[in-house]
Amino acid sequence: MLVSDALGGSDEATGLAVAHALVRRASVGEVTEALRVYRPAKPVLVFGRRDTRHSGFRAAVRSARSAGFEPLVRAVGGRPVAYTSASLVVDHVKSEGMASEGLETRFKEFGAMYAEVLRELGIDARVGAVPGEYCPGAHSVNARGLVKLVGTGQRIVRDAWLFSALIVVADDARIQPLLADVYRHLGLPFEVASVGSLSREVPGLDVETVERRILDAYAVKAQLEPSALDQATWELALSLVIDHRIGHIR
C-alpha cells in the first residue's frame, strides 16, 4: 500500500514512529508492503541509537535546538542526519522471510534506482560514499563523486525490513553548519563540503517534482495502491513515539 501522508498535523517524532509501527506490523504479517514518501513539516536533526550514548550527545542536542532543529532518534541505523521541509523521506516496508539475507541486495538495487531517478532529472548521480560525508554509507547517492544527495539505511526485524532514504532537495547551506557542530561534538569525521542538494545541481528543481519521479520509480518495482494509514498502525505508532523523542536537555 502507498501510505497517505495525512497524519493529522502530528509532529516529526510521530512520523518516525509510523515507520517503526509499520515494520513491526510487517514482522507479524499484518502489513504485506507499504511505502510512505513524505516532506517533513519542520527541520529535524535525527540521531542513531548509538549516538545517544556518546559523551558529546547532550552538546549535540543543544546545537540542534539552537539552530532551530528538533532533535530525534530514528529506528534505522547510521549516524546523525539533518533535514528540513526541502527534503523528502522515503520509508519502504515489506514483510519477507529471512529479511536479513537480502540486506546487501536491497542496498544495491535501491541505490541504483535512486541514482537513475536523479540522472533522469539531469544530475550526474553515482552510487558510493564521498569523503567526509555525514552518515557514511557505501550505497549513498552522490553528485559527480563529490557531494552526498541521498542517504539510505535499513532496519531488519524478524521476517520484515524497513528501507529508508533521505533526499536533500534544498537547504544544504542551512544543514552544513549544524552537521559540522554535531559531528564535532560526537568526535566523528565530517567535511562540510560533502553536503549537497538536488537543487544546487539543477537550479529550480523542487520537492514536488522529485516526489513525482520517486513515486513513478516505485510504481515499476511494486504494485502499491494508495491507502490511508489504518487505525491499528496509527495506534501502535502513538505508543512508540516516546522511543523517538529526546528528553529535555539544557
Side-chain angles (χ1 to χ4, degrees):
M1 64 178 173
L2 176 61
V3 178
S4 168
D5 191 34
L7 296 181
S10 59
D11 61 12
E12 295 308 310
T14 305
L16 292 177
V18 166
H20 191 171
L22 284 169
V23 75
R24 280 202 179 186
R25 297 197 68 216
S27 177
V28 294
E30 294 173 347
V31 169
T32 302
E33 185 172 19
L35 177 72
R36 181 179 178 223
V37 182
Y38 69 98
R39 181 176 182 172
K42 62 182 181 180
V44 292
L45 186 289
V46 185
F47 294 93
R49 291 288 174 192
R50 59 178 168 171
D51 298 322
T52 65
R53 299 187 289 272
H54 193 280
S55 60
F57 176 65
R58 294 174 66 88
V61 168
R62 288 193 292 267
S63 289
R65 289 177 173 154
S66 295
F69 285 66
E70 181 181 7
L72 299 170
V73 180
R74 65 176 176 273
V76 296
R79 292 301 198 175
V81 299
Y83 49 93
T84 70
S85 58
S87 293
L88 283 173
V89 178
V90 183
D91 290 324
H92 186 184
V93 167
K94 189 171 183 178
S95 178
E96 186 175 293
M98 307 297 288
S100 61
E101 293 185 359
L103 184 143
E104 187 66 17
T105 297
R106 284 189 295 274
F107 268 127
K108 290 179 179 178
E109 290 183 351
F110 287 118
M113 184 191 79
Y114 283 110
E116 180 60 25
V117 169
L118 299 195
R119 283 193 288 268
E120 291 173 354
L121 291 168
I123 297 171
D124 179 6
R126 312 172 190 181
V127 177
V130 299
E133 72 175 30
Y134 62 93
C135 195
H139 303 288
S140 299
V141 180
N142 68 73
R144 300 168 284 109
L146 296 175
V147 294
K148 182 171 182 172
L149 302 178
V150 181
T152 59
Q154 293 191 62
R155 182 178 187 187
I156 308 298
V157 296
R158 182 176 180 180
D159 295 333
W161 50 262
L162 162 63
F163 192 98
S164 291
L166 167 63
I167 307 165
V168 179
V169 182
D171 277 354
D172 46 311
R174 185 177 180 189
I175 294 168
Q176 289 169 343
L178 171 58
L179 288 177
D181 279 348
V182 167
Y183 276 68
R184 175 173 53 81
H185 289 312
L186 297 177
L188 298 170
F190 173 71
E191 292 291 338
V192 170
S194 69
V195 181
S197 71
L198 275 62
S199 62
R200 193 170 294 275
E201 299 299 314
V202 179
L205 194 58
D206 57 35
V207 176
E208 291 77 14
T209 298
V210 178
E211 181 175 12
R212 286 195 299 271
R213 295 297 186 94
I214 294 297
L215 289 173
D216 287 346
Y218 268 99
V220 173
K221 295 188 72 66
Q223 297 301 312
L224 299 171
E225 296 296 328
S227 174
L229 192 70
D230 62 277
Q231 189 64 26
T233 301
W234 179 246
E235 291 176 358
L236 179 57
L238 292 179
S239 74
L240 295 171
V241 169
I242 191 65
D243 292 343
H244 300 281
R245 294 196 193 282
I246 294 173
H248 184 62
I249 293 177
R250 295 181 178 177

